């Protein structure tokens, strides 16, 4: 990357990039972790860059260097949560704690950094995430994007191991973790504007991954269970396996505009996101990412060889 000498970059595959307007042009934003090689007696150090790739042919791309606190050198995930106005919000995390940055895309500089906060989702003019005053005690909180100050912190404290907070649709987040009693898997859907619990979906064998179909349905699944709920009302729409044990749950790969994609032992499947019923024509593969223009997926069982296909029917 321009302006960084003697450095190596690690790719970031934790989340898809974000499309935004900056300086009158459209750019694709992603954040990357770098190792800047030391010289002489100096040691290598870890850093982060926000990379803006122009979508216009011949236009310049650019980067914003982001200082990484010394106690966060083991950072393992980076996500561009989104953009509000000219401010991009980036979340990072290591094995023990998280942090967020706000970057002014017009001035190409960091506005503020908040340590001890695991960012999960943008909600209006706030970034919602977890604060953990103690290792196993967590609260849902929100920071103001304008200055990084605390907007609110929910009263309820969750006593959990390996707590995570992830997006689950507009104004919805999924809080998950293990309890100390029998190490049971606990999971809740919360309102990300208040931190209020909407419903409990504890009991899975592994953490659920939730995917919003960008229309009206959120699908959550682990290796054994899949279910969907109406994102606005929170009403459960369907659940697999069904009570009659006549259908199994697919391993969900993604969802988009009313369709849920996944695999079973019989191959790729596509379900109606609202009813949960199999669509009559299964796909040739289960895509990992889908939008209006294309889908990205792999025909290999290990998922190492990715291909891009034109999207049809959206």
């Amino acid at each position: 990357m321009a302006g960084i000498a003697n450095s190596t970059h690690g790719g970031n595959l934790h989340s898809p990039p974000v499309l935004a307007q900056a300086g009158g042009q459209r750019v694709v934003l992603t954040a990357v972790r770098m190792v800047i090689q030391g010289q002489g007696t100096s040691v290598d150090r870890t850093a982060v860059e926000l990379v803006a790739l122009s979508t216009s042919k011949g236009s310049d791309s650019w980067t914003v260097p982001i200082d990484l606190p010394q106690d966060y050198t083991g950072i393992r995930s980076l996500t561009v949560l989104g953009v509000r106005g000219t401010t991009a919000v980036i979340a990072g995390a290591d094995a023990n704690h998280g942090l967020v940055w706000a970057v002014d895309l017009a001035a190409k500089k960091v506005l503020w950094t908040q340590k001890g906060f695991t960012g999960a989702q943008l909600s209006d003019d706030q970034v919602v995430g977890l604060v953990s005053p103690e290792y196993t005690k967590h609260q849902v909180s929100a920071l103001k994007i304008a200055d990084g100050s605390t907007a609110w912190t929910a009263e309820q404290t969750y006593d959990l191991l390996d707590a995570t907070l992830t997006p689950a649709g507009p104004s919805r987040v999924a809080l998950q973790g293990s309890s100390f009693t029998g190490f049971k898997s606990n999971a809740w859907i919360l309102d990300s504007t208040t931190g209020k619990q909407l419903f409990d979906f504890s009991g899975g064998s592994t953490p659920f991954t939730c995917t919003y179909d960008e229309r009206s349905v959120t699908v959550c699944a682990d290796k054994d269970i899949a279910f969907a709920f109406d994102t606005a009302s929170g009403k459960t729409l369907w659940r697999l396996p069904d009570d009659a044990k006549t259908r199994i749950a697919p391993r969900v790969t993604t969802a988009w505009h009313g369709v849920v994609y996944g695999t079973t032992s019989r191959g790729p499947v596509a379900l109606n996101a609202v009813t949960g019923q199999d669509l009559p024509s299964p796909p040739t593969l289960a895509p990992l990412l889908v939008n209006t223009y294309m889908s990205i997926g792999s025909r290999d069982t290990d998922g190492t060889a990715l291909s891009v296909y034109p999207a049809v029917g959206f």
Side-chain angles (χ1 to χ4, degrees):
M1 296 297 173
I4 299 292
N6 300 319
S7 65
T8 58
H9 294 73
N12 175 43
L13 298 179
H14 296 280
S15 63
V18 170
L19 187 64
Q21 287 287 134
Q25 63 178 239
R26 299 180 81 191
V27 295
V28 176
L29 300 175
T30 190
V32 296
R33 175 182 177 272
M34 305 180 301
V35 177
I36 301 177
Q37 298 172 354
Q39 296 182 358
T41 59
S42 63
V43 299
D44 294 351
R45 63 187 180 91
T46 305
V48 171
E49 258 187 349
L50 175 66
V51 180
L53 303 173
S54 175
T55 62
S56 301
K57 185 177 181 180
S59 297
D60 291 334
S61 300
W62 43 270
T63 63
V64 178
I66 300 174
D67 290 334
L68 190 64
Q70 290 185 350
D71 50 344
Y72 281 77
T73 55
I75 196 163
R76 62 184 182 182
S77 68
L78 289 166
T79 304
V80 180
L81 296 180
V83 177
R84 292 292 184 270
T86 61
T87 302
V89 180
I90 304 157
D94 63 11
N96 299 313
H97 36 28
L99 73 165
V100 293
W101 302 272
V103 176
D104 187 327
L105 299 178
K108 299 178 184 176
K109 68 176 184 179
V110 177
L111 296 176
W112 53 263
T113 302
Q114 182 63 259
K115 297 170 59 177
F117 186 92
T118 305
Q121 184 184 59
L122 299 191
S123 179
D124 297 327
D125 59 350
Q126 301 171 359
V127 52
V128 181
L130 282 180
V131 292
S132 304
E134 298 179 28
Y135 176 65
T136 60
K137 296 188 183 300
H138 313 275
Q139 290 176 286
V140 180
S141 185
L143 306 177
K144 297 177 182 177
I145 294 175
D147 58 12
S149 62
T150 299
W152 54 264
T153 299
E155 292 184 3
Q156 183 164 356
T157 299
Y158 295 88
D159 200 1
L160 297 170
L161 291 169
D162 301 321
T164 62
L165 191 72
T166 54
S171 301
R172 302 288 183 261
V173 287
L175 173 62
Q176 301 184 65
S178 299
S179 67
F180 290 90
T181 305
F183 297 100
K184 174 187 174 184
S185 177
N186 291 328
W188 302 270
I189 295 294
L190 310 179
D191 185 328
S192 61
T193 64
T194 63
K196 179 182 177 181
Q197 268 189 37
L198 298 179
F199 66 90
D200 188 324
F201 62 107
S202 301
S205 58
T206 59
F208 287 87
T209 298
C210 295
T211 305
Y212 176 53
D213 79 340
E214 302 293 336
R215 182 175 285 173
S216 63
V217 176
T218 294
V219 181
C220 297
D222 67 3
K223 65 183 182 66
D224 300 313
I225 299 169
F227 68 92
F229 64 91
D230 182 278
T231 308
S233 68
K235 177 184 176 182
T236 300
L237 300 172
W238 52 267
R239 184 183 181 94
L240 291 174
D242 58 348
D243 292 339
K245 306 298 182 184
T246 60
R247 300 178 64 210
I248 60 175
R251 295 207 173 192
V252 175
T253 56
T254 193
W256 175 257
H257 284 199
V259 181
V260 179
Y261 299 94
T263 61
T264 70
S265 59
R266 302 174 186 86
V269 295
L271 311 182
N272 183 304
V274 176
T275 67
Q277 295 300 310
D278 290 50
L279 295 178
S281 299
T284 56
L285 59 80
L288 302 173
L289 291 171
V290 180
N291 65 18
T292 306
Y293 309 103
M294 66 186 68
S295 62
I296 298 175
S298 174
R299 295 182 183 275
D300 299 332
T301 55
D302 60 4
T304 55
L306 296 177
S307 300
V308 178
Y309 299 85
V312 178
F314 299 117

